[in-house]
Amino acid sequence: MRPLGIATLALTLLIAAPPVLAGGEQVVVEDPWSRASIGTSRPGVAYMTLRNTGAEPVVVTGLRTDLAMTPMIHATTTDAQGVTRMSHMEEMEIAAGEAVALEPGGMHIMLMDLQRPMVEGESYTLSVIFADGTEASVEVPILGIAARGPSD
Amino acid sequence: MTRLQKGLWAAVAVAALGAGGLAVTVSRAPEVATSGASSVAAEFELTGHDGVVRTEEDFRGKWTLVFFGFTNCPDICPTTLAEIAQVMDDLGPQAGAVQPLFISVDSDRDTPMELAEYVPQFHPSILGLAGTPEQIEAAAASFKIFYERVPEEAAPDGYTMGHASQVFLFDPDGGFVRLYGNGTPAPEITADLRARIDAHG
Ligand SMILES: [Cu+2]
């Protein structure tokens, strides 16, 4: 192939496939925080805001941390009678340019099978895994057991 | 069927038979209260996290804030406990007129000892109350609240709980006053309590 042909091919590829950021690069994690736990027998919790700065929707498909064997996204819902329940969300989509807030009484990260107690003042690394296989990692500070928000 | 399952099914049966379902009654409770014909009552015999058996009679003379949950609940229960803790701090000297009660609907896991480890971490004034499945069922029927087990494979023992998430207020004579909906900010509850305590003298 002549040099011009290669250049043309490269140009064609660029036009056909505009740069798409991987989920792990286009999602910004803001205000992560956790409450301290008492021992390891009860599930822990983590909250944060996931902001999709990209032009494409992203889908969260999993979580990973060495703090808990089974971290999962839960949705707390309250019905018209005030009855609150938690349910597991297998996937969570974040639309382009949108942010999803995981906050008390709403969606949250449930940390099942804690491997060590969550101690106030310490922190741990949590990785959010996207459908394209990329990840975004964040250091989550552990606040007091009665903390009500990221600045408590 | 385990003992707890039986208890829960009995609670559901009671709910279905009485007043067309507990859930409906709870949603109407504030209306009922203002019409002066409340059927919501606090009637219970439960064990405090200090090991002392309590009934509603033990709290006469105080404004009582009652709410329900379970200690394996890392989201909504700590959120409510922390709000109530804030209310108690903000009330200052008037906090002495108020008794918060956290009733566990998870009789299988939440013993008084479990509650003793958990509830006081939020505020020393909050009393955790535990009971047998039958005692919890009877208490729930008097408050007209709903609770159930929700299967969750990854959770400890394979379940979490669904439960009423409002905070109930009773006056010093034990009469039902009102509900604070799930998520009511602490300052709103504090202001409401202050006004009532002041008016009551
Ligand atoms: Cu959860």
Side-chain angles (χ1 to χ4, degrees):
Chain A
M1 200 184 262
R2 290 175 299 125
L4 184 62
I6 291 170
T8 310
L9 180 63
L11 189 65
T12 310
L13 282 174
L14 270 177
I15 293 165
V20 173
L21 292 172
E25 289 160 25
Q26 72 187 64
V27 171
V28 178
V29 182
E30 298 165 354
D31 298 330
W33 64 284
S34 270
R35 289 193 194 94
S37 72
I38 305 162
T40 57
S41 64
R42 305 181 189 92
V45 76
Y47 302 106
M48 61 196 61
T49 296
L50 300 173
R51 185 175 301 282
N52 180 1
T53 63
E56 299 289 327
V58 294
V59 178
V60 177
T61 54
L63 301 157
R64 193 179 59 239
T65 172
D66 68 356
L67 174 67
M69 291 284 280
T70 320
M72 59 205 319
I73 298 179
H74 267 193
T76 293
T77 51
T78 303
D79 67 19
Q81 284 74 44
V83 177
T84 292
R85 297 176 180 84
M86 294 190 292
S87 57
H88 177 199
M89 291 175 77
E90 301 276 350
E91 294 191 337
M92 185 179 79
E93 185 173 306
I94 312 170
E98 298 288 313
V100 171
L102 307 180
E103 56 194 4
M107 280 183 285
H108 55 276
I109 293 170
M110 188 99 157
L111 302 167
M112 307 284 204
D113 299 318
L114 288 183
Q115 299 300 293
R116 54 182 186 271
M118 297 171 73
V119 179
E120 182 174 358
E122 293 185 356
S123 67
Y124 61 94
T125 307
L126 179 89
S127 300
V128 182
I129 305 166
F130 300 94
D132 63 6
T134 59
E135 301 183 1
S137 289
V138 63
E139 195 66 14
V140 185
I142 301 171
L143 310 182
I145 192 171
R148 296 186 297 157
S151 54
D152 271 6
Chain B
M1 225 183 210
T2 67
R3 213 157 52 105
L4 179 62
Q5 278 171 323
K6 270 188 205 156
L8 292 185
W9 279 112
V12 171
V14 168
L17 290 172
L22 295 179
V24 173
T25 314
V26 166
S27 71
R28 288 185 182 158
E31 281 175 46
V32 171
T34 48
S35 75
S38 169
S39 61
V40 172
E43 288 162 18
F44 57 84
E45 183 180 299
L46 298 166
T47 305
H49 72 239
D50 53 4
V52 178
V53 175
R54 303 292 207 311
T55 72
E56 70 281 359
E57 297 288 339
D58 294 316
F59 305 102
R60 292 287 184 269
K62 288 208 176 192
W63 296 84
T64 317
L65 292 167
V66 185
F67 49 108
F68 302 85
F70 62 112
T71 67
N72 273 263
C73 161
D75 178 46
I76 195 75
C77 304
T79 301
T80 308
L81 281 159
E83 286 298 322
I84 296 304
Q86 189 66 50
V87 168
M88 295 306 284
D89 279 346
D90 293 347
L91 278 173
Q94 287 179 310
V98 179
Q99 175 61 59
L101 301 175
F102 173 81
I103 299 180
S104 171
V105 293
D106 191 0
S107 42
D108 250 24
R109 292 184 295 207
D110 286 341
T111 60
M113 268 171 65
E114 290 279 321
L115 295 181
E117 178 183 70
Y118 184 82
V119 178
Q121 300 275 339
F122 291 88
H123 201 279
S125 71
I126 305 174
L127 182 67
L129 293 169
T132 63
E134 293 74 19
Q135 287 175 319
I136 298 298
E137 192 187 312
S142 86
F143 288 100
K144 308 265 184 294
I145 65 113
F146 180 80
Y147 64 102
E148 63 176 358
R149 273 191 180 198
V150 179
E152 169 58 82
E153 218 178 298
D157 308 306
Y159 70 94
T160 67
M161 309 245 1
H163 58 86
S165 57
Q166 304 97 332
V167 177
F168 288 66
L169 175 66
F170 294 86
D171 65 28
D173 300 319
F176 173 63
V177 178
R178 63 166 292 181
L179 296 176
Y180 300 103
N182 160 21
T184 306
E188 225 173 278
I189 299 177
T190 305
D192 184 65
L193 284 173
R194 279 224 167 97
R196 291 178 193 279
I197 295 167
D198 287 342
H200 196 262

